[in-house]
Amino acid sequence: ADGYYEYMMQECVYSTSDYSDMVYLESYSFNKVVDVQFNSTVGKFVGYTEEGVKYAENWNKDPAILQQRKASVDTFCRPNAQIWDSSVRDKA
């Protein structure tokens, strides 16, 4: 199992039924170490490794990228949470 393991993960984290506390997270990892993460509450990318800091600096310079990620709470998280939550409630 030699080789590299790189992946990106998107998460929507919330604990209230009205989604008022919803946070969008987008993490980029290499070999199980998170290099860089966007957090909609922080509003920018944060680098956690030397390489991740470089990515964060570049992505944070682009207002279009930041605006798209900030909007992900409303465009990605809330619509999907409503679908997932309603399917769970319908089964209860």
Side-chain angles (χ1 to χ4, degrees), residues 19-50:
Y19 312 128
S20 60
D21 65 340
M22 187 167 282
V23 177
Y24 172 75
L25 302 172
E26 184 174 301
S27 304
Y28 293 83
S29 301
F30 182 75
N31 286 349
K32 300 182 182 179
V33 175
V34 176
D35 287 323
V36 63
Q37 182 180 65
F38 179 84
N39 179 318
S40 63
T41 302
V42 176
K44 65 179 185 176
F45 288 91
V46 176
Y48 297 106
T49 64
E50 185 177 339

Side-chain angles (χ1 to χ4, degrees), residues 38 43-45 54-70:
F38 179 84
K44 65 179 185 176
F45 288 91
K54 293 175 188 176
Y55 286 126
E57 287 174 354
N58 286 329
W59 292 336
N60 288 333
K61 290 178 187 174
D62 189 333
I65 289 175
L66 292 178
Q67 187 59 35
Q68 181 184 27
R69 296 313 189 281
K70 289 176 188 175

